[in-house]
Amino acid sequence: GNHDGERDGGFANYFVIVQPKPLRARAQVTTQEAALASLPMANPKRGEALFFLTAGCAGCHRVGDRGVNFGPDLTNLGARMEAKFVVQSMLDPNAVITEGFAAHSVEAAGKNYFGTLLSSGRTVKLGLVGGQTVELAAETINKHETLPISPMPPQGAMLGENDVADIAA
């Protein structure tokens, strides 16, 4: 509460909720060159906030014990990959698709689904954008295609060069 404990009578408790501003579409798409040029000034703490809160990366990717494991696990990514490839993956996710993470398009019971294949067999389980999953009984599936693209949308229309650099850092 907001008193020193020595007063009698009522007192108030309050909470302050701080939420980041949502991302908005940019007038110009961020280029890899601009993002790479911003890397020396990158702020990893801001990048962490963007990754887990504002940009929605954690809706599909895991780092450590945080996030969802639909896309590739990014724990210790800096030890496995140069920064230029991290930036490229954010801005052009179709350039290199990690094995097992190509997009899947499924038509079942009159609906279309697009996401990452999590499991198959008697049911097909897809990870959808935003962290949801859907399980589809095999007998309801009319069409199932593995697409030569990433389910991750390019981030250059929403993230500026400093944002991309901060997340990469």
Side-chain angles (χ1 to χ4, degrees):
N2 59 350
H3 74 87
D4 59 10
E6 296 184 21
R7 280 184 28 197
D8 289 333
F11 59 92
N13 288 317
Y14 54 90
F15 292 96
V16 176
I17 299 172
V18 179
Q19 292 182 322
K21 288 183 181 181
L23 295 174
R24 295 194 319 216
R26 300 175 46 76
Q28 256 187 323
V29 174
T30 299
T31 65
Q32 290 181 39
E33 294 76 22
L36 289 170
S38 296
L39 273 174
M41 293 81 60
N43 180 339
K45 281 291 187 197
R46 184 172 177 275
E48 181 180 5
L50 283 165
F51 186 94
F52 288 107
L53 300 172
T54 312
C57 308
C60 293
H61 295 282
R62 176 179 291 277
V63 174
D65 61 354
R66 296 171 65 192
V68 176
N69 210 21
F70 290 168
D73 188 323
L74 303 180
T75 303
N76 298 320
L77 182 63
R80 301 187 315 258
M81 186 178 285
E82 292 179 45
K84 68 180 181 180
F85 296 113
V86 176
V87 168
Q88 178 188 40
S89 293
M90 283 190 270
L91 298 177
D92 185 9
N94 295 326
V96 178
I97 301 170
T98 302
E99 185 177 341
F101 291 99
H104 285 252
S105 175
V106 178
E107 181 185 313
K111 292 185 176 182
N112 292 311
Y113 301 91
F114 179 83
T116 303
L117 183 66
L118 300 176
S119 65
S120 62
R122 291 183 181 209
T123 62
V124 169
K125 185 174 182 180
L126 289 177
L128 308 176
V129 174
Q132 301 92 8
T133 61
V134 63
E135 289 193 42
L136 306 165
E139 63 271 8
T140 68
I141 296 174
N142 301 323
K143 188 175 182 182
H144 180 176
E145 292 181 277
T146 302
L147 305 173
I149 61 172
S150 171
M152 179 175 149
Q155 301 299 305
M158 298 298 282
L159 297 174
E161 58 268 5
N162 292 332
D163 301 331
V164 172
D166 292 345
I167 293 170

